[in-house]
Amino acid sequence: MSAPRVLPDAERDAAFEREALACLPDVARFARSLTRDQTQAEDLVQETFLRAYAGYHTFQSGSSIRRWLFSICHHAFLRLAQREQRLVLTEKGEDAELEVLAAVHDHAAAHRAGVDHFIRNIDIGPAIRAAIDSLLPVYRCTVLLVDVDGMTYEEAAEVLGVPTGTVRSRLFRARRLLQQQLLAHARDAGVAGAPSSPSAQTQP
Amino acid sequence: MTTSPDGTVVNEIGCRATVLRLWDYLDHALADSQRLEVDQHLRDCSACAEHFGFARAFLDALPASWPRPIDTEPLRRRVVERLREVGFSLP
């Protein structure tokens, strides 16, 4: 990794506009996923770019500025949320193996009830968004980084400032919670009755 | 031991070991040897293949559900205005 850059002011500002401000739509989306509120998200974006500008000389050229900005955004959100004492940082049950087994168990039950096919057949976008919004922030931002934004476990860990194993366990738990909500949504919507082959009825 | 279609010798694993690798497999986070073991099991086990198919469809639906911000230009102007107050200048 190369050393922090020391640039003349005009050059630094031009680079900041070209590199950092170009990521504003992505940061805005991430901020919206953290806050779930448009006004708070815009304040968070503003705070993120102010902090990024103040610390731009510490940015390591060659690394991902997008992840650097996401990390600043996440830390700013944590500070804000902790100040307002509305953040639950951890939750019991973060065991990756148990979560994946539970997810498969839930799918097997949904398959037996004939509701699992809905995920391929109807527009579940609104239901997914509602389910993601209902997650605790620690799970929501992990899902957004990995499943929506396409980051690896390691990249998400860098943004969130946690070990890779923590990202993995939070992600697996979040996915199980989302699947549970979506399958419940399918049952509530009356999606049932599809012929289910016996294959997935076998419990792992 | 069994042999994959490309001739590689692969350890046989059971259903439990396979589903425990479900998310790591779909996230491309497995070592090659572990991935081949899952591939081999999925070829032979329709129950596990069904679980993996559902999980893949679920993961595919997530990014498609999330809309991009419609217009961030007003926010960008606000941010630039605020940055100017602390010394930022555009050519």
Side-chain angles (χ1 to χ4, degrees):
Chain A
M1 192 176 284
S2 39
R5 298 181 292 187
V6 181
L7 298 173
D9 287 354
E11 202 175 322
R12 177 200 62 196
D13 288 2
F16 189 80
E17 186 204 18
R18 190 174 57 249
E19 297 172 359
L21 284 173
C23 297
L24 188 142
D26 290 339
V27 175
R29 186 168 75 150
F30 184 53
R32 173 68 180 78
S33 76
L34 291 171
T35 63
R36 291 179 296 173
D37 177 89
Q38 193 59 33
T39 304
Q40 286 182 21
E42 292 188 0
D43 290 346
L44 184 57
V45 170
Q46 188 163 283
E47 178 72 10
T48 299
F49 280 92
L50 280 171
R51 289 178 181 275
Y53 183 65
Y56 193 46
H57 61 285
T58 67
F59 173 67
Q60 307 284 333
S61 180
S63 56
S64 165
I65 194 159
R66 196 161 158 278
R67 287 205 298 277
W68 183 66
L69 290 167
F70 276 30
S71 181
I72 293 171
C73 183
H74 180 247
H75 282 112
F77 170 73
L78 288 183
R79 273 191 297 275
L80 184 71
Q82 283 168 342
R83 200 181 309 144
E84 295 179 5
Q85 297 183 325
R86 60 181 170 81
L87 183 66
V88 179
L89 281 173
T90 59
E91 184 170 276
K92 290 178 183 174
E94 289 185 351
D95 182 300
E97 287 199 352
L98 289 178
E99 295 299 344
V100 73
L101 287 175
V104 171
H105 180 273
D106 290 345
H107 169 239
H111 189 78
R112 282 195 299 275
V115 297
D116 64 329
H117 64 96
F118 84 100
I119 205 158
R120 298 180 180 92
N121 295 345
I122 62 173
D123 175 19
I124 55 167
I128 291 178
R129 286 198 295 280
I132 292 176
D133 272 352
S134 74
L135 294 174
L136 289 170
V138 287
Y139 299 121
R140 194 166 63 243
C141 61
T142 308
V143 164
L144 263 292
L145 291 174
V146 178
D147 288 337
V148 177
D149 221 69
M151 288 189 189
T152 63
Y153 300 163
E154 290 76 15
E155 289 168 345
E158 181 188 325
V159 168
L160 299 174
V162 297
T164 304
T166 303
V167 166
R168 190 169 166 269
S169 56
R170 286 180 183 174
L171 183 67
F172 292 5
R173 180 170 177 78
R175 287 172 176 172
R176 180 170 71 81
L177 294 171
L178 289 176
Q179 283 190 357
Q180 280 181 339
Q181 289 202 44
L182 292 174
L183 292 168
H185 167 80
R187 289 187 194 98
D188 293 346
V191 179
S196 56
S197 65
S199 59
Q201 297 183 10
T202 307
Q203 298 291 323
Chain B
M1 294 280 201
T2 183
T3 307
S4 71
D6 69 355
T8 310
V9 176
V10 179
N11 287 321
E12 285 185 48
I13 57 172
C15 291
R16 182 183 171 85
T18 300
V19 298
L20 280 174
R21 296 178 186 177
L22 170 75
W23 296 128
D24 289 320
Y25 177 88
L26 295 174
D27 290 333
H28 309 287
L30 288 179
D32 284 351
S33 60
Q34 292 178 313
R35 183 177 50 75
L36 287 172
E37 288 165 3
V38 173
D39 285 336
Q40 185 66 41
H41 183 86
L42 294 181
R43 273 191 286 274
D44 299 334
C45 178
S46 58
C48 285
E50 177 72 30
H51 291 311
F52 276 62
F54 175 78
R56 189 187 298 279
F58 165 72
L59 290 187
D60 288 346
L62 291 180
S65 75
W66 205 257
R68 300 197 72 79
I70 302 163
D71 179 13
T72 53
E73 194 50 40
L75 175 59
R76 187 183 192 281
R77 281 197 294 274
R78 266 186 57 197
V79 168
V80 169
E81 197 175 305
R82 186 75 184 83
L83 287 171
R84 282 197 166 112
E85 294 172 15
V86 295
F88 179 70
S89 65
L90 288 175

